[in-house]
C-alpha cells in the first residue's frame, strides 16, 4: 500500500463524513467538483437578504465592493450565488398616522437603494427581475439577479392602494406582518412592548383579506413567514395563488414560533405553495440558553445606545455586540450547515421535493456555521450532494420550485385582471 493511499484512508477513518466530503468533492485543481459540476450550472436563488438603510450610500455601503455585509457582489460572484431577493424591511412601531408615513418613507429609501444598485451603479453586474422569465434572462446574460421583497405589510399602513404602488416599484412578495401585529395580520411573535395581545385579529383582519386579494390581482406573492399560525392558515386558504414562506424553518426540528408545523407545510403544499427553508441559527437549532443570552445582550446594547429596541441593522456591527456574540457562540455553539440541511430534508419529507426552497436571511440575523455569507453558498450544494440529492432535485430546491410558484402567481394575476377587463 503506497503512502498517499494509506494517508487518505487514515484521514477518512479519523474525520469520517467531513473527510469524505472533502475527498469526494475536491479535485486536483483545488476546486470543488460539486461547485463546478452542479453548483456552477444551477441557478441559485436566495429568497431573503436584508439591506441596511444606508445601502448604496457611497462610500459607506458599496455593494460592488467587498463589504462587512454577508451579501455583496464580490461575495455573490465568489460563492456562486446567482439571484437574491433584496428586502425592503421596516420594523413594526405603534400604529399611528405619523408612523405609517415614516414607514412608507423608510420603505422608499430601500426601494431606491436597490434600484440604484441595479440601474445606476452596477447594471453590468446585476439586473432587477420583475418576472420569472427576467430571472432566467438576466442569469443567462452572465449577470447576478436582484429581486425585491417587502418584509412587513406595515409599510402600506391602512392604504390598500400602496400595494400597487410598491408592486410598480418592483416588489414581488410581501411578508404580511413581522414581529408584532399590524393592521393586516397577527404576528407569530406579538410585541408586548407595543401593547400586543396574544392575538388581535384572530388571524387575518378584514383589511388583511382585502390585501391578500389585491396581491393576487397584482401578482405579488403572499409571504406567510412571521405571521401567526391562524393568520398563515387563513392566508393560504384565502389566496387564489400559491403562497410562499420566504424564510422559515420547521417546528418538528426546532420548536420556535417562527417555524412551520408539519400541518402548515402540508397546507402550503396542498395549494401549490413553497417553504423556503431559512439558515437562521435560532430557528434551525432550538437552544433556550442561547436564546436567553442573545436577548440579554441585545437588550443591554439597545439600552446602552439609548434605542427603544435592538436592531441588527443599526447595532449589529458594534464592537460590543460582536464581542458579546463571540462569547455567546463559544458558550452556545451556533447551528451548522448540516443541521440547516436537516430542515430541508424534513420539509422535503413532509411536502415533497417540489415544494421546498432555500433562503439565508443574511444581513438580518441569518447564517449558520458553514453558510455564513454569500461566498460560502457552494457549501449548501455540496451538503445536498453529499445527502444524495440529484442534480435535478438540487436545481428544484435552489430555484426551480420557486420560479414555478412565481409563474403560477403571475398566471393567477393575469386571469384575475382578464376577468376584471371582461
Ligand atoms: Zn424575517
Amino acid at each position: 500500500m503506497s503512502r498517499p493511499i494509506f494517508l487518505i484512508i487514515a484521514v477518512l477513518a479519523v474525520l469520517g463524513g467531513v473527510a469524505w466530503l472533502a475527498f469526494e468533492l475536491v479535485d486536483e485543481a483545488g476546486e470543488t467538483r460539486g461547485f463546478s459540476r452542479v453548483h456552477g450550472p444551477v441557478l441559485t436563488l436566495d429568497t431573503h437578504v436584508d439591506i441596511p438603510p444606508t445601502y448604496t450610500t457611497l462610500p459607506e455601503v458599496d455593494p460592488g465592493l467587498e463589504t462587512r455585509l454577508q451579501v455583496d457582489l464580490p461575495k455573490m460572484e465568489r460563492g456562486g450565488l446567482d439571484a437574491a431577493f433584496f428586502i425592503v424591511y421596516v420594523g413594526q412601531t405603534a400604529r399611528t398616522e405619523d408612523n405609517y408615513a415614516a414607514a412608507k418613507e423608510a420603505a422608499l429609501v430601500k426601494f431606491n437603494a436597490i434600484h440604484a444598485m441595479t440601474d445606476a451603479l452596477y447594471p453590468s453586474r446585476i439586473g432587477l427581475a420583475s418576472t420569472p422569465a427576467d430571472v432566467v434572462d438576466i442569469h443567462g446574460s452572465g449577470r447576478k439577479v436582484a429581486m425585491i421583497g417587502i418584509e412587513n405589510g406595515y409599510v402600506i399602513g391602512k392604504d390598500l392602494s400602496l400595494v400597487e404602488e410598491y408592486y410598480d416599484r418592483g416588489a414581488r412578495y410581501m411578508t404580511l406582518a413581522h414581529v408584532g401585529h399590524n393592521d393586516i395580520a397577527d404576528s407569530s411573535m406579538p410585541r408586548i412592548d407595543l401593547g400586543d395581545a396574544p392575538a388581535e385579529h384572530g388571524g387575518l383582519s378584514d383589511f388583511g383579506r382585502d390585501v391578500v386579494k389585491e396581491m393576487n390581482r397584482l401578482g405579488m406573492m403572499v409571504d406567510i413567514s412571521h405571521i401567526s399560525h391562524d393568520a398563515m392558515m387563513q392566508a393560504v386558504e384565502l389566496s387564489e395563488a400559491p403562497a410562499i414562506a420566504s424564510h422559515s424553518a420547521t417546528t418538528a426540528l426546532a420548536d420556535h414560533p417562527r417555524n412551520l408545523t408539519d400541518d402548515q407545510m402540508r397546507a402550503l403544499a396542498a395549494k401549490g405553495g413553497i417553504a423556503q427553508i431559512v439558515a437562521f441559527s435560532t430557528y434551525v437549532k432550538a437552544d433556550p440558553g442561547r436564546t436567553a443570552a442573545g436577548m440579554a445582550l441585545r437588550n443591554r446594547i439597545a439600552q446602552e445606545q439609548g434605542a427603544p429596541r435592538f436592531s441588527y441593522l443599526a447595532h449589529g456591527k458594534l464592537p460590543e455586540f460582536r464581542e458579546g456574540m463571540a462569547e455567546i457562540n463559544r458558550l452556545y455553539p451556533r447551528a451548522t450547515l448540516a443541521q440547516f440541511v436537516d430542515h430541508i430534508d424534513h420539509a422535503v419529507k413532509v411536502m415533497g421535493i417540489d415544494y421546498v426552497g432555500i433562503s439565508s436571511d443574511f444581513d438580518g440575523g441569518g447564517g449558520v456555521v458553514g453558510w455564513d455569507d454569500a461566498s460560502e453558498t457552494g457549501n449548501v450544494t455540496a451538503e445536498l450532494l453529499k445527502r444524495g440529492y440529484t442534480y435535478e432535485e438540487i436545481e428544484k430546491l435552489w430555484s426551480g420550485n420557486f420560479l414555478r410558484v412565481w409563474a403560477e402567481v403571475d398566471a393567477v394575476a393575469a386571469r384575475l385582471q382578464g376577468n376584471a377587463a371582461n
Side-chain angles (χ1 to χ4, degrees):
M1 187 184 286
S2 74
R3 176 160 278 179
I5 290 172
F6 174 77
L7 267 177
I8 287 168
I9 290 170
V11 167
L12 282 173
V14 172
L15 294 178
V18 174
W20 179 86
L21 180 63
F23 179 72
E24 179 65 17
L25 299 174
V26 177
D27 64 20
E28 310 77 40
E31 185 191 20
T32 63
R33 265 185 272 149
F35 192 92
S36 54
R37 185 168 50 82
V38 178
H39 192 69
V42 163
L43 198 171
T44 55
L45 186 154
D46 177 346
T47 46
H48 206 87
V49 171
D50 272 289
I51 56 169
T54 51
Y55 200 64
T56 66
T57 309
L58 306 192
E60 292 102 290
V61 187
D62 184 344
L65 303 177
E66 194 66 45
T67 64
R68 293 180 76 174
L69 295 173
Q70 289 167 296
V71 179
D72 51 39
L73 286 168
K75 292 190 185 81
M76 289 178 81
E77 287 155 1
R78 265 204 322 280
L81 177 62
D82 300 317
F85 270 84
F86 292 87
I87 300 305
V88 172
Y89 158 75
V90 178
Q92 192 61 43
T93 49
R95 281 170 269 162
T96 64
E97 288 305 323
D98 283 353
N99 284 351
Y100 291 140
K104 182 183 178 188
E105 197 75 19
L108 295 186
V109 167
K110 290 189 174 178
F111 275 107
N112 291 340
I114 298 163
H115 281 280
M117 171 172 70
T118 57
D119 306 348
L121 294 172
Y122 299 107
S124 65
R125 290 167 75 188
I126 187 164
L128 183 67
S130 303
T131 65
D134 286 351
V135 174
V136 175
D137 288 349
I138 294 167
H139 179 242
S141 74
R143 291 177 296 155
K144 298 299 177 193
V145 186
M147 295 146 288
I148 303 178
I150 293 174
E151 185 169 31
N152 200 358
Y154 181 47
V155 298
I156 68 168
K158 292 181 172 179
D159 184 352
L160 194 62
S161 74
L162 285 182
V163 181
E164 185 160 9
E165 179 171 340
Y166 293 137
Y167 179 90
D168 291 342
R169 289 177 185 271
R172 289 298 177 270
Y173 79 68
M174 184 164 80
T175 317
L176 298 180
H178 187 249
V179 178
H181 308 320
N182 64 18
D183 295 300
I184 298 169
D186 289 340
S187 171
S188 62
M189 297 171 72
R191 286 274 300 276
I192 294 156
D193 61 316
L194 292 178
D196 282 357
E200 176 176 331
H201 310 292
L204 289 182
S205 68
D206 289 342
F207 175 66
R209 303 178 87 80
D210 291 340
V211 170
V212 168
K213 287 176 192 159
E214 176 68 350
M215 291 170 77
N216 286 165
R217 184 185 74 81
L218 291 165
M220 191 186 284
M221 288 173 270
V222 174
D223 178 17
I224 55 80
S225 285
H226 276 292
I227 65 177
S228 74
H229 182 279
D230 288 350
M232 179 275 176
M233 291 302 232
Q234 291 166 17
V236 168
E237 177 63 29
L238 174 69
S239 179
E240 289 202 48
I244 68 166
S246 71
H247 61 306
S248 292
T250 73
T251 308
L253 300 193
D255 191 6
H256 191 288
R258 274 284 284 107
N259 285 343
L260 299 169
T261 63
D262 290 1
D263 281 353
Q264 285 181 298
M265 289 193 287
R266 283 190 205 101
L268 199 52
K271 295 284 295 281
I274 191 167
Q276 299 286 119
I277 301 300
V278 68
F280 194 106
S281 184
T282 318
Y283 310 156
V284 167
K285 180 175 136 184
D287 184 342
R290 183 182 169 88
T291 303
M295 196 177 295
L297 173 67
R298 292 192 296 275
N299 287 343
R300 177 168 68 75
I301 303 268
Q303 202 169 22
E304 283 169 7
Q305 297 296 314
R309 204 158 183 271
F310 178 86
S311 147
Y312 278 101
L313 295 172
H315 310 127
K317 304 295 180 206
L318 291 172
E320 48 270 46
F321 178 69
R322 297 171 84 91
E323 283 157 23
M325 281 311 298
E327 178 65 5
I328 289 173
N329 288 339
R330 197 179 62 73
L331 293 171
Y332 311 98
R334 299 161 66 218
T336 63
L337 173 65
Q339 289 170 320
F340 163 59
V341 178
D342 287 345
H343 284 257
I344 294 179
D345 286 349
H346 180 74
V348 167
K349 199 174 77 192
V350 173
M351 305 176 82
I353 187 71
D354 294 323
Y355 304 96
V356 182
I358 297 170
S359 64
S360 67
D361 210 352
F362 283 148
D363 298 311
V368 293
V369 176
W371 191 31
D372 220 0
D373 66 39
S375 76
E376 297 184 335
T377 303
N379 293 344
V380 179
T381 304
E383 181 68 21
L384 293 168
L385 278 169
K386 181 184 159 189
R387 295 186 184 210
Y389 287 97
T390 65
Y391 180 95
E392 287 71 24
E393 289 169 337
I394 291 172
E395 190 164 51
K396 284 181 178 188
L397 293 170
W398 263 128
S399 62
N401 292 336
F402 182 81
L403 294 177
R404 181 200 71 234
V405 170
W406 187 358
E408 286 168 15
V409 170
D410 277 352
V412 168
R415 176 167 61 75
L416 293 174
Q417 290 176 25
N419 286 348
N422 290 337

